[in-house]
Amino acid sequence: WMGDRQTFQVMPSAASGTPDTGREARELAFRHENETARPYYYGVRFENGLKAEMAPTDHAAALRFTYPGDDASVIFDNVTDEAGLTLDRENGVVTGYSDVKSGLSTGATRLFVYGEFDKKAVDGASSGVKGHLRFDAGKDRTVTLRLATSLISVDQAKDNLRQELPASRSFESVKKAAQRQWDELLGTVEVEGATPDQLTTLYSSLYRLYLYPNSGFEKVGGTYKYASPFSKMTGPDTPTHSGAKIVEGKVYVNNGFWDTYRTTWPAYSFLTPSRAGELVDGFVQHYKDGGWTSRWSSPG
C-alpha cells in the first residue's frame, strides 16, 4: 500500500541449540487449516508442532508460544536491519528500536519497543540488530511475551506496557477484551435475511473500514502526546529516545483522502459519528502542528 514502516519481528523457534537467525534457515511451514485470523486474535500451528498466538491492545500485544519439546527459543529481527536490539537475559527483557520505512513513509519517526517474558531465559545473544533468547519453558512448554511500542522512547514503551498489559493480565483476558471492543464496533450494524457469505463480506469489510486511520498518540503521565511526523526534528534519534518534536494532542494518521472521502468518511459519519468527529480532529491536528493536512497521511 504505502510501504512497511516501523516494523519489529519476533519469531519462536524449536530448533535445538542456538537457533539460526537467518531468514531462510528459520522459516517454518504451516497449513491454512491450522491458522486462525480474527480482528482480536491470530494463531497458527506450524508443521513442526510449534504454536504461535497473538492478541492486541492499543500500543501492545501479548504473544504466546507453545513448543512441541524442551527446545524453546525466541528470535528477534528486522526487515532491513535498520534497527537496534538489546537483550537483558537475567531479567527476561527485550528493548530496541526500528527505523524501517519506505520512500513513501514521509515523516516516519523511530519506533521503540519494550517487552517482558514470563519464563526464565537460560541463554541468548544479540548482534545489536538481531538476536535470540533461549528459555526453560517449564512443564507447560509455553513462553509468553508482553511487548509494547512507543514512538517517543523506550521508557514510554515500558510505561505503555504498564498501562495496557501489566503482568497480572493473562493472554486470554487480553484476547477477550480485544474481542469485546471489536464486537461492540461491528455490532453497530445488524442485518436480517442475509446469507452466511453475505454476513462474512459485510463484517469483513467493516473490520477493514475500522483498521484505519490509526492513533499516533500516547498517554504520557496524564496527557496525550505524540512524536510529530509533521515538524522538524529537534535533534538526532538515540537508541532510547526519539529526536522528533514531542507535541501535546491526539493525532490520527494513515489515510488517503482521495480514496476515502466518497465512501469511508461518510460511513464513519453514519455508523459512528462521535468517533468520526474524533478522527477528523486528529487530522486537523496535522494542520495545527505543521501548517497543513496531507492528502495522503503515511504518516506525515
Side-chain angles (χ1 to χ4, degrees):
W1 181 34
M2 293 188 290
D4 284 337
R5 70 169 188 272
Q6 298 159 327
T7 56
F8 185 79
Q9 294 178 327
V10 181
M11 182 175 175
S13 172
S16 60
T18 301
D20 192 331
T21 57
R23 289 162 192 169
E24 291 188 5
R26 73 175 193 236
E27 64 187 18
L28 296 176
F30 70 95
R31 299 176 186 272
H32 285 303
E33 56 259 39
N34 297 324
E35 180 185 41
T36 302
R38 299 284 181 267
Y40 54 87
Y41 169 82
Y42 176 82
V44 60
R45 192 182 82 246
F46 297 101
E47 290 294 272
N48 68 351
L50 198 163
K51 188 174 184 180
E53 300 170 278
M54 294 184 287
T57 67
D58 198 15
H59 298 86
L63 298 93
R64 183 168 65 185
F65 307 124
T66 305
Y67 296 87
D70 293 332
D71 294 303
S73 296
V74 176
I75 295 170
F76 305 95
D77 190 17
N78 218 280
V79 176
T80 59
D81 294 340
E82 297 168 287
L85 177 69
T86 301
L87 300 176
D88 180 351
R89 196 182 91 189
E90 292 300 313
N91 296 300
V93 171
V94 54
T95 60
Y97 65 86
S98 170
D99 288 331
V100 172
K101 54 188 172 184
S102 77
L104 297 171
S105 306
T106 305
T109 57
R110 179 167 282 186
L111 174 87
F112 299 91
V113 296
Y114 176 90
E116 296 180 357
F117 285 93
D118 70 335
K119 294 291 175 68
K120 181 177 176 55
V122 296
D123 194 13
S126 170
S127 68
V129 175
K130 61 175 64 178
H132 79 281
L133 286 174
R134 188 171 176 81
F135 293 91
D136 177 356
K139 291 182 179 180
D140 62 2
R141 292 177 174 170
T142 297
V143 174
T144 300
L145 168 63
R146 296 175 299 111
L147 186 72
T149 63
S150 171
L151 296 169
I152 296 174
S153 67
V154 168
D155 283 345
Q156 184 59 39
K158 183 178 181 179
D159 196 57
N160 289 342
L161 190 69
R162 178 194 63 81
Q163 293 179 55
E164 300 181 13
L165 228 175
S168 58
R169 286 196 73 184
S170 68
F171 182 92
E172 293 302 326
S173 74
V174 175
K175 177 181 172 182
K176 287 177 181 176
Q179 183 176 4
R180 281 195 300 270
Q181 281 186 284
W182 277 105
D183 284 350
E184 182 180 354
L185 188 59
L186 301 188
T188 304
V189 177
E190 295 182 21
V191 180
E192 295 179 358
T195 66
D197 281 353
Q198 288 172 329
L199 289 173
T200 297
T201 297
L202 171 68
Y203 288 110
S204 297
S205 297
L206 282 174
Y207 160 66
R208 289 171 174 84
L209 180 73
Y210 283 102
L211 269 180
Y212 301 97
N214 305 116
S215 59
F217 55 87
E218 303 166 51
K219 199 168 188 178
V220 183
T223 308
Y224 289 107
K225 297 183 179 182
Y226 62 93
S228 176
F230 324 113
S231 300
K232 289 183 179 179
M233 301 277 286
T234 59
D237 291 324
T238 74
T240 60
H241 205 283
S242 175
K245 182 181 178 182
I246 307 302
V247 179
E248 286 194 13
K250 286 186 172 183
V251 70
Y252 282 87
V253 297
N254 298 344
N255 178 74
F257 285 100
W258 71 356
D259 283 345
T260 60
Y261 76 94
R262 288 188 182 92
T263 53
T264 303
W265 285 97
Y268 294 144
S269 300
F270 181 62
L271 297 173
T272 49
S274 296
R275 186 177 297 240
E278 182 173 326
L279 295 176
V280 169
D281 282 343
F283 283 99
V284 173
Q285 182 67 28
H286 295 213
Y287 170 76
K288 292 178 180 177
D289 182 349
W292 50 281
T293 298
S294 59
R295 176 172 60 188
W296 273 98
S297 165
S298 62

PDB file of all heavy atoms in Angstrom, residues 4 50 63 85 93 104 108 111 121 131 138 153 165 176-177 210 244 256 262 290:
ATOM      1  N   ASP A   4       6.001  -0.829   4.102  1.00  0.00           N
ATOM      2  CA  ASP A   4       6.174  -1.151   5.521  1.00  0.00           C
ATOM      3  C   ASP A   4       6.978  -0.067   6.216  1.00  0.00           C
ATOM      4  O   ASP A   4       7.918   0.496   5.648  1.00  0.00           O
ATOM      5  CB  ASP A   4       6.924  -2.471   5.678  1.00  0.00           C
ATOM      6  CG  ASP A   4       6.052  -3.675   5.392  1.00  0.00           C
ATOM      7  OD1 ASP A   4       4.820  -3.543   5.510  1.00  0.00           O
ATOM      8  OD2 ASP A   4       6.599  -4.731   5.052  1.00  0.00           O
ATOM      9  N   LEU A  50       5.007 -26.471  16.658  1.00  0.00           N
ATOM     10  CA  LEU A  50       5.111 -25.225  17.416  1.00  0.00           C
ATOM     11  C   LEU A  50       3.887 -24.348  17.144  1.00  0.00           C
ATOM     12  O   LEU A  50       3.423 -24.252  16.010  1.00  0.00           O
ATOM     13  CB  LEU A  50       6.399 -24.496  16.995  1.00  0.00           C
ATOM     14  CG  LEU A  50       6.977 -23.412  17.889  1.00  0.00           C
ATOM     15  CD1 LEU A  50       8.434 -23.154  17.487  1.00  0.00           C
ATOM     16  CD2 LEU A  50       6.202 -22.126  17.810  1.00  0.00           C
ATOM     17  N   LEU A  63       2.086 -12.129  23.148  1.00  0.00           N
ATOM     18  CA  LEU A  63       2.485 -13.180  22.217  1.00  0.00           C
ATOM     19  C   LEU A  63       2.759 -14.442  23.019  1.00  0.00           C
ATOM     20  O   LEU A  63       3.573 -14.428  23.948  1.00  0.00           O
ATOM     21  CB  LEU A  63       3.737 -12.774  21.438  1.00  0.00           C
ATOM     22  CG  LEU A  63       3.610 -11.540  20.541  1.00  0.00           C
ATOM     23  CD1 LEU A  63       4.032 -10.282  21.296  1.00  0.00           C
ATOM     24  CD2 LEU A  63       4.484 -11.685  19.298  1.00  0.00           C
ATOM     25  N   LEU A  85      18.820  -3.570  18.960  1.00  0.00           N
ATOM     26  CA  LEU A  85      18.276  -4.622  19.818  1.00  0.00           C
ATOM     27  C   LEU A  85      19.157  -4.800  21.038  1.00  0.00           C
ATOM     28  O   LEU A  85      20.382  -4.922  20.926  1.00  0.00           O
ATOM     29  CB  LEU A  85      18.188  -5.944  19.049  1.00  0.00           C
ATOM     30  CG  LEU A  85      17.700  -7.163  19.837  1.00  0.00           C
ATOM     31  CD1 LEU A  85      16.227  -7.024  20.186  1.00  0.00           C
ATOM     32  CD2 LEU A  85      17.963  -8.447  19.049  1.00  0.00           C
ATOM     33  N   VAL A  93      14.104  -9.367  29.537  1.00  0.00           N
ATOM     34  CA  VAL A  93      13.582  -8.127  28.953  1.00  0.00           C
ATOM     35  C   VAL A  93      14.232  -7.900  27.584  1.00  0.00           C
ATOM     36  O   VAL A  93      15.444  -8.100  27.414  1.00  0.00           O
ATOM     37  CB  VAL A  93      13.877  -6.925  29.877  1.00  0.00           C
ATOM     38  CG1 VAL A  93      13.549  -5.613  29.183  1.00  0.00           C
ATOM     39  CG2 VAL A  93      13.072  -7.045  31.174  1.00  0.00           C
ATOM     40  N   LEU A 104       7.870   6.134   0.644  1.00  0.00           N
ATOM     41  CA  LEU A 104       6.576   6.802   0.761  1.00  0.00           C
ATOM     42  C   LEU A 104       6.239   7.175   2.206  1.00  0.00           C
ATOM     43  O   LEU A 104       5.235   7.840   2.451  1.00  0.00           O
ATOM     44  CB  LEU A 104       5.472   5.896   0.221  1.00  0.00           C
ATOM     45  CG  LEU A 104       5.560   5.557  -1.269  1.00  0.00           C
ATOM     46  CD1 LEU A 104       4.542   4.487  -1.621  1.00  0.00           C
ATOM     47  CD2 LEU A 104       5.335   6.787  -2.115  1.00  0.00           C
ATOM     48  N   ALA A 108       7.994   9.535   8.838  1.00  0.00           N
ATOM     49  CA  ALA A 108       8.046   8.417   9.783  1.00  0.00           C
ATOM     50  C   ALA A 108       9.223   8.576  10.739  1.00  0.00           C
ATOM     51  O   ALA A 108      10.336   8.891  10.318  1.00  0.00           O
ATOM     52  CB  ALA A 108       8.157   7.096   9.035  1.00  0.00           C
ATOM     53  N   LEU A 111      10.623   3.969  15.908  1.00  0.00           N
ATOM     54  CA  LEU A 111       9.739   3.197  16.781  1.00  0.00           C
ATOM     55  C   LEU A 111      10.580   2.507  17.855  1.00  0.00           C
ATOM     56  O   LEU A 111      11.646   1.961  17.556  1.00  0.00           O
ATOM     57  CB  LEU A 111       8.992   2.130  15.989  1.00  0.00           C
ATOM     58  CG  LEU A 111       8.141   1.177  16.833  1.00  0.00           C
ATOM     59  CD1 LEU A 111       6.760   1.762  17.059  1.00  0.00           C
ATOM     60  CD2 LEU A 111       8.037  -0.191  16.193  1.00  0.00           C
ATOM     61  N   ALA A 121      15.064 -16.910  30.996  1.00  0.00           N
ATOM     62  CA  ALA A 121      15.961 -17.111  29.860  1.00  0.00           C
ATOM     63  C   ALA A 121      17.235 -17.791  30.343  1.00  0.00           C
ATOM     64  O   ALA A 121      17.835 -17.372  31.342  1.00  0.00           O
ATOM     65  CB  ALA A 121      16.290 -15.778  29.209  1.00  0.00           C
ATOM     66  N   GLY A 131      18.908 -11.137  17.160  1.00  0.00           N
ATOM     67  CA  GLY A 131      19.401 -11.996  18.223  1.00  0.00           C
ATOM     68  C   GLY A 131      18.363 -13.001  18.652  1.00  0.00           C
ATOM     69  O   GLY A 131      17.327 -13.176  17.999  1.00  0.00           O
ATOM     70  N   GLY A 138       9.356 -24.749  31.017  1.00  0.00           N
ATOM     71  CA  GLY A 138       8.588 -25.380  32.077  1.00  0.00           C
ATOM     72  C   GLY A 138       7.736 -26.532  31.595  1.00  0.00           C
ATOM     73  O   GLY A 138       7.807 -26.951  30.435  1.00  0.00           O
ATOM     74  N   SER A 153       9.803   6.926  23.167  1.00  0.00           N
ATOM     75  CA  SER A 153      11.014   6.454  23.841  1.00  0.00           C
ATOM     76  C   SER A 153      10.835   5.019  24.323  1.00  0.00           C
ATOM     77  O   SER A 153       9.710   4.498  24.385  1.00  0.00           O
ATOM     78  CB  SER A 153      11.348   7.349  25.038  1.00  0.00           C
ATOM     79  OG  SER A 153      10.352   7.212  26.048  1.00  0.00           O
ATOM     80  N   LEU A 165      -0.887  -3.569  29.539  1.00  0.00           N
ATOM     81  CA  LEU A 165      -0.671  -5.012  29.599  1.00  0.00           C
ATOM     82  C   LEU A 165       0.238  -5.368  30.773  1.00  0.00           C
ATOM     83  O   LEU A 165       1.338  -5.892  30.565  1.00  0.00           O
ATOM     84  CB  LEU A 165      -0.047  -5.482  28.271  1.00  0.00           C
ATOM     85  CG  LEU A 165      -0.659  -6.705  27.601  1.00  0.00           C
ATOM     86  CD1 LEU A 165      -0.020  -6.961  26.250  1.00  0.00           C
ATOM     87  CD2 LEU A 165      -0.535  -7.931  28.472  1.00  0.00           C
ATOM     88  N   LYS A 176      -9.957 -11.574  25.109  1.00  0.00           N
ATOM     89  CA  LYS A 176     -11.385 -11.320  25.322  1.00  0.00           C
ATOM     90  C   LYS A 176     -11.706  -9.832  25.302  1.00  0.00           C
ATOM     91  O   LYS A 176     -12.742  -9.405  24.773  1.00  0.00           O
ATOM     92  CB  LYS A 176     -11.822 -11.952  26.646  1.00  0.00           C
ATOM     93  CG  LYS A 176     -11.903 -13.470  26.594  1.00  0.00           C
ATOM     94  CD  LYS A 176     -12.263 -14.054  27.950  1.00  0.00           C
ATOM     95  CE  LYS A 176     -12.306 -15.579  27.887  1.00  0.00           C
ATOM     96  NZ  LYS A 176     -12.565 -16.171  29.233  1.00  0.00           N
ATOM     97  N   ALA A 177     -10.826  -9.017  25.889  1.00  0.00           N
ATOM     98  CA  ALA A 177     -11.063  -7.573  25.894  1.00  0.00           C
ATOM     99  C   ALA A 177     -11.019  -7.009  24.480  1.00  0.00           C
ATOM    100  O   ALA A 177     -11.828  -6.148  24.108  1.00  0.00           O
ATOM    101  CB  ALA A 177     -10.021  -6.873  26.768  1.00  0.00           C
ATOM    102  N   TYR A 210     -12.450  -0.083   9.791  1.00  0.00           N
ATOM    103  CA  TYR A 210     -12.009   0.472  11.072  1.00  0.00           C
ATOM    104  C   TYR A 210     -10.572   0.094  11.440  1.00  0.00           C
ATOM    105  O   TYR A 210     -10.124   0.389  12.540  1.00  0.00           O
ATOM    106  CB  TYR A 210     -12.983   0.062  12.175  1.00  0.00           C
ATOM    107  CG  TYR A 210     -14.256   0.882  12.130  1.00  0.00           C
ATOM    108  CD1 TYR A 210     -15.434   0.363  11.599  1.00  0.00           C
ATOM    109  CD2 TYR A 210     -14.271   2.193  12.601  1.00  0.00           C
ATOM    110  CE1 TYR A 210     -16.597   1.123  11.554  1.00  0.00           C
ATOM    111  CE2 TYR A 210     -15.421   2.960  12.552  1.00  0.00           C
ATOM    112  CZ  TYR A 210     -16.583   2.420  12.036  1.00  0.00           C
ATOM    113  OH  TYR A 210     -17.726   3.192  11.987  1.00  0.00           O
ATOM    114  N   ALA A 244      12.334  13.404  17.424  1.00  0.00           N
ATOM    115  CA  ALA A 244      11.190  14.146  16.890  1.00  0.00           C
ATOM    116  C   ALA A 244      10.670  15.133  17.929  1.00  0.00           C
ATOM    117  O   ALA A 244      10.847  14.950  19.140  1.00  0.00           O
ATOM    118  CB  ALA A 244      10.073  13.182  16.490  1.00  0.00           C
ATOM    119  N   GLY A 256      -5.725   7.998   3.060  1.00  0.00           N
ATOM    120  CA  GLY A 256      -5.594   8.675   1.776  1.00  0.00           C
ATOM    121  C   GLY A 256      -6.928   9.277   1.395  1.00  0.00           C
ATOM    122  O   GLY A 256      -7.824   8.575   0.925  1.00  0.00           O
ATOM    123  N   ARG A 262     -15.262   9.667  -0.557  1.00  0.00           N
ATOM    124  CA  ARG A 262     -16.587   9.343  -1.096  1.00  0.00           C
ATOM    125  C   ARG A 262     -17.308   8.269  -0.281  1.00  0.00           C
ATOM    126  O   ARG A 262     -18.541   8.236  -0.262  1.00  0.00           O
ATOM    127  CB  ARG A 262     -16.468   8.833  -2.537  1.00  0.00           C
ATOM    128  CG  ARG A 262     -16.124   9.869  -3.566  1.00  0.00           C
ATOM    129  CD  ARG A 262     -16.243   9.242  -4.959  1.00  0.00           C
ATOM    130  NE  ARG A 262     -15.880  10.177  -6.005  1.00  0.00           N
ATOM    131  CZ  ARG A 262     -14.660  10.293  -6.516  1.00  0.00           C
ATOM    132  NH1 ARG A 262     -13.683   9.529  -6.041  1.00  0.00           N
ATOM    133  NH2 ARG A 262     -14.409  11.161  -7.475  1.00  0.00           N
ATOM    134  N   GLY A 290       1.774  21.286  11.824  1.00  0.00           N
ATOM    135  CA  GLY A 290       2.699  21.547  10.726  1.00  0.00           C
ATOM    136  C   GLY A 290       2.261  22.582   9.709  1.00  0.00           C
ATOM    137  O   GLY A 290       3.009  22.910   8.793  1.00  0.00           O
TER     138      GLY A 290
END
